[in-house]
Amino acid sequence: MCTNGVNTQQFTQMLDMVDDHVALEYRWTHRLAHIAEDAGYEATSKKLHEAQALLADVRSLLDEAKDSFENEAMRTASDSSTVKLV
């Protein structure tokens, strides 16, 4: 369905794709943090864990953006509906 010139289903799928990508980066950052820690690179490990936490924040914001988009799209779709007596 298109609302305000935006294919809402495609937009939602694109948000999911971004979330999947960030989830992959989250896992790799976690893995690298532990590799650095095991090798004795404590400062590097700490920074990677901080980056991992920020990636978790990104995923949370993406979820909020998706929820907001779905709510706004539904509201816009219902506002634009008109009924005419024939």
Side-chain angles (χ1 to χ4, degrees), residues 15-86:
L15 284 171
D16 288 339
M17 287 173 54
V18 172
D19 182 57
D20 289 345
H21 180 67
V22 175
L24 177 64
E25 301 308 325
Y26 177 91
R27 287 191 301 274
W28 272 104
T29 303
H30 181 76
R31 174 179 270 165
L32 289 173
H34 284 289
I35 291 171
E37 184 178 0
D38 292 345
Y41 299 110
E42 294 301 320
T44 302
S45 175
K46 181 180 180 229
K47 291 297 180 184
L48 287 168
H49 279 293
E50 290 172 9
Q52 182 185 11
L54 292 172
L55 289 168
D57 292 344
V58 168
R59 293 194 69 205
S60 177
L61 288 170
L62 286 169
D63 284 341
E64 291 175 23
K66 185 177 174 182
D67 290 342
S68 294
F69 176 73
E70 290 171 347
N71 291 336
E72 289 174 326
M74 287 177 59
R75 188 176 65 244
T76 302
S78 66
D79 290 348
S80 64
S81 300
T82 58
V83 177
K84 294 183 181 182
L85 182 60
V86 186

Side-chain angles (χ1 to χ4, degrees), residues 5-17:
V6 175
N7 181 325
T8 55
Q9 183 177 7
Q10 185 179 31
F11 192 87
T12 302
Q13 289 173 343
M14 289 168 41
L15 284 171
D16 288 339
M17 287 173 54

